[in-house]
Amino acid sequence: MTIEELYDRIGGDLEGVRKRLPSDDLIARFIVRFADDESCAQAAAAWSEGDEASAFEAAHKAKGVCANLGLSKLWNIANDITEALRPGNSDVRATTDVDALVKQLASEHASTLDAIREFSASA
C-alpha cells in the first residue's frame, strides 16, 4: 500500500500534510507512530467514566495530533467532541450527542489503526 492509498482509505489530507512535512518517508514514519498515540482511546475512556474534563483534554489533544497528520475524519469527530465539552459551550453541549460522537471516534480510530498497520506491514 502506498502513502497515497493509505490516505485515500482513511479519508486523510495527504496534500495538506505534504505542505508541513518535507517527504513522504517522514510522513510515513509519523503516521506509523500514530498507532502509539492514546489520546482517542483516552477521550473515550474518560467519557465512559463520566470525567468530562479529562475527555475534553484528551479529545483536544487528539484533535491536534490528527490535524498535524491530516487525519481529517478523526479530526472532525475530535473537534466536535472538543467543542461540545469545551467549558463555556453549554449551548453546543446541549445539542450534541457526545455518546454517539465518542462511539464514532472509537470506530474511526480502530479503522484508521487497521489501515495504518496494513500500510506498515506492506512497507
Side-chain angles (χ1 to χ4, degrees), residues 45-107:
W47 178 253
S48 71
E49 294 168 2
D51 185 349
E52 286 192 19
S54 293
F56 167 79
E57 292 297 327
H60 192 271
K61 179 181 176 192
K63 179 179 142 179
V65 171
C66 292
N68 286 328
L69 293 174
L71 302 175
S72 304
K73 285 183 180 180
L74 279 172
W75 180 88
N76 283 319
I77 301 164
N79 181 61
D80 289 347
I81 294 168
T82 299
E83 292 311 311
L85 299 181
R86 183 179 301 281
N89 276 1
S90 58
D91 55 329
V92 176
R93 175 69 176 93
T95 61
T96 303
D97 184 351
V98 179
D99 285 329
L101 286 172
V102 169
K103 288 177 186 171
Q104 188 180 3
L105 181 69
S107 176

Side-chain angles (χ1 to χ4, degrees), residues 15-65:
E15 293 311 311
V17 177
R18 284 177 168 157
K19 291 176 185 176
R20 290 185 295 279
L21 297 175
S23 73
D24 284 358
D25 287 340
L26 189 58
I27 294 168
R29 282 192 297 223
F30 278 109
I31 199 71
V32 168
R33 290 174 61 191
F34 176 72
D36 296 331
D37 181 82
E38 297 180 359
S39 56
C40 289
Q42 289 169 342
W47 178 253
S48 71
E49 294 168 2
D51 185 349
E52 286 192 19
S54 293
F56 167 79
E57 292 297 327
H60 192 271
K61 179 181 176 192
K63 179 179 142 179
V65 171

Side-chain angles (χ1 to χ4, degrees), residues 4-20:
E4 290 86 0
E5 291 168 331
L6 171 64
Y7 270 80
D8 283 344
R9 183 169 161 188
I10 62 176
D13 177 20
L14 180 57
E15 293 311 311
V17 177
R18 284 177 168 157
K19 291 176 185 176
R20 290 185 295 279

